[in-house]
């Protein structure tokens, strides 16, 4: 399973590269990347969307990050945590596989970081997260990001026109 997985369906998060070791992997730069910018065509799409996405230095094992996200979801802070984790990973190049990084993020969104860390260390949410991952695979979801519009499922970063076309198809069919 060397594909990338970080799948979100109905507010649930799924695994990114389930074969990644616990300490993560040093990420090799891709052709066309600079120190601060990803390669084309994603670079242009990032600029058009006015986002910041610096090439990460590490591909983390995401189990802790997904369990922390589930913890945030259960405490009514999913979106706040998600946005803070995005910034930490893509802007600040922090390793989301590290419990201390996740604790910082939790504190930044007013979650009880100590309780969350205890939850991660005891693996309280592991079975739930792994069950969600299996559910995604059963639904045919195999890549990041994945979007579901009606019966249409598509994967990858796409220009706005693709989303508009998918929505139009959905609205016309229903």
């Amino acid at each position: 399973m060397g594909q990338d997985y970080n799948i979100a369906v109905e507010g649930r998060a799924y695994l990114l590269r389930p074969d990644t070791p616990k300490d993560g992997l040093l990420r090799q730069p891709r052709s066309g990347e600079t120190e601060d910018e990803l390669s084309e065509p994603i670079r242009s799409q990032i600029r058009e969307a006015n986002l910041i996405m610096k090439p990460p230095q590490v591909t983390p094992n995401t189990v802790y990050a997904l369990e922390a996200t589930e913890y945030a979801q259960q405490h009514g802070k999913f979106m706040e945590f998600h946005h803070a984790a995005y910034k930490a990973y893509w802007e600040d190049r922090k390793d989301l596989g590290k419990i201390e990084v996740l604790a910082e993020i939790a504190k930044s969104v007013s979650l009880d970081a100590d309780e969350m860390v205890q939850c991660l260390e005891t693996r309280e949410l592991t079975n739930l997260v792994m069950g969600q991952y299996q559910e995604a695979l059963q639904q045919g979801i195999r890549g990041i990001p994945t979007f579901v519009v009606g019966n249409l499922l598509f994967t990858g970063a796409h220009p706005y026109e693709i989303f508009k076309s998918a929505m139009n198809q959905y609205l016309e069919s229903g």
Side-chain angles (χ1 to χ4, degrees):
M1 284 215 238
Q3 298 177 356
D4 285 348
Y5 295 93
N6 189 9
I7 304 160
V9 175
E10 298 174 6
R12 298 181 191 156
Y14 298 90
L15 298 181
L16 168 66
R17 294 192 57 127
D19 58 340
T20 303
K22 184 168 176 53
D23 292 331
L25 294 171
L26 265 176
R27 185 180 173 277
Q28 298 302 313
R30 297 187 178 146
S31 177
E33 281 185 357
T34 68
E35 185 176 328
D36 288 326
E37 293 188 303
L38 295 169
S39 59
E40 291 294 348
I42 194 78
R43 178 186 299 162
S44 294
Q45 294 169 347
I46 291 166
R47 286 181 184 154
E48 287 173 24
N50 201 27
L51 296 173
I52 297 172
M53 291 179 76
K54 297 175 185 175
Q57 298 169 350
V58 173
T59 298
N61 178 302
T62 60
V63 174
Y64 281 145
L66 296 172
E67 291 175 14
T69 301
E70 183 62 35
Y71 177 88
Q73 169 86 5
Q74 292 178 2
H75 290 83
K77 297 278 188 171
F78 174 80
M79 287 308 292
E80 295 95 329
F81 188 86
H82 175 76
H83 288 281
Y86 174 94
K87 181 184 181 311
Y89 185 71
W90 288 109
E91 293 182 27
D92 303 333
R93 293 184 171 139
K94 294 190 176 183
D95 183 349
L96 297 183
K98 306 280 187 224
I99 288 180
E100 58 272 13
V101 170
L102 298 168
E104 286 176 32
I105 295 168
K107 285 179 190 173
S108 78
V109 299
S110 301
L111 283 168
D112 183 334
D114 292 334
E115 181 181 85
M116 186 195 75
V117 166
Q118 181 180 3
C119 186
L120 298 180
E121 289 175 341
T122 61
R123 309 311 299 229
E124 187 176 315
L125 297 169
T126 301
N127 287 339
L128 177 63
V129 167
M130 295 308 290
Q132 292 170 348
Y133 170 62
Q134 291 302 318
E135 180 184 336
L137 293 177
Q138 290 169 1
Q139 293 178 22
I141 297 173
R142 300 273 187 274
I144 62 165
T146 294
F147 303 93
V148 180
V149 179
N151 292 329
L152 180 64
L153 183 138
F154 58 102
T155 301
H158 296 283
Y160 171 76
E161 292 75 30
I162 299 294
F163 292 98
K164 185 176 176 182
S165 175
M167 288 304 295
N168 286 337
Q169 285 181 16
Y170 174 72
L171 292 171
E172 289 172 7
S173 70

